[in-house]
Amino acid sequence: MLETGSPAPELVFEDTMGDTVRLSDYRGRHAVLLYFVRATSCPICNRNVQDLVRISDDLAADNVRVLIAVPESRERAVTWKARQRVPFPVLTARYDTPHELAGLGGKVFGVMQRSGSVLIDVQGVVRHAQSATLPTGSYDRKAIKAVIGTLSPR
């Protein structure tokens, strides 16, 4: 998992349109909140994504862009994004899953996919990193908003 206070590595994803999305594309312009869902079928992860949708205007006003990473195929991500009405870019990876790229590989004999949230500031420094095998511990809106409050003004 990415460590708070460390520089974010160059992570390269593929979005549901098949376009390349690099974490560095946001550096110097926007903070980024990456939310890694355990699975598109996970009801708790879906609830967390819908919470992000509800607060998306506040996040945008704070210069934070939201990216949602799913461990499934791009085709499945396209269907899920439409069904859930997710307005954010939904990311997959060309080779490994986005989760593996960020150090969120499976736990418990490699089969329990972890979920998590990572906030990266405009300079590319990880300011919040949280992960859990159970999705109830992968998203803490209060903690994320508190960190956003410490970021440099727009």
Side-chain angles (χ1 to χ4, degrees), residues 41-97:
S41 60
C42 173
I44 295 167
C45 294
N46 284 317
R47 186 179 69 218
N48 293 339
V49 168
Q50 290 308 309
D51 185 61
L52 288 168
V53 170
R54 277 190 295 281
I55 65 170
S56 63
D57 289 342
D58 293 338
L59 293 168
D62 287 326
N63 197 30
V64 177
R65 299 299 181 260
V66 177
L67 304 173
I68 307 294
V70 301
E72 290 95 354
S73 69
R74 182 164 57 102
E75 293 76 20
R76 193 159 186 185
V78 168
T79 303
W80 174 80
K81 179 179 179 171
R83 188 177 60 244
Q84 293 293 321
R85 296 186 175 131
V86 176
F88 315 118
V90 174
L91 309 174
T92 61
R94 286 194 172 97
Y95 306 108
D96 296 322
T97 69

Side-chain angles (χ1 to χ4, degrees), residues 89-136:
V90 174
L91 309 174
T92 61
R94 286 194 172 97
Y95 306 108
D96 296 322
T97 69
H99 299 61
E100 291 167 328
L101 292 174
L104 286 169
K107 284 266 192 178
V108 190
F109 305 112
V111 295
M112 289 288 289
Q113 179 61 62
R114 291 189 293 165
S115 55
S117 51
V118 177
L119 178 66
I120 301 162
D121 68 16
V122 174
Q123 291 80 32
V125 176
V126 176
R127 299 292 299 271
H128 168 86
Q130 182 173 348
S131 70
T133 302
L134 296 177
T136 53

Side-chain angles (χ1 to χ4, degrees), residues 11-15 19-23 25-26 67 89 91:
L11 299 177
V12 180
F13 306 100
E14 182 176 89
D15 68 11
D19 296 327
T20 299
V21 177
R22 289 177 178 80
L23 203 50
D25 293 343
Y26 296 90
L67 304 173
L91 309 174

Side-chain angles (χ1 to χ4, degrees), residues 30-46:
H30 306 286
V32 175
L33 176 60
L34 279 158
Y35 179 63
F36 295 85
V37 302
R38 181 173 175 226
T40 56
S41 60
C42 173
I44 295 167
C45 294
N46 284 317

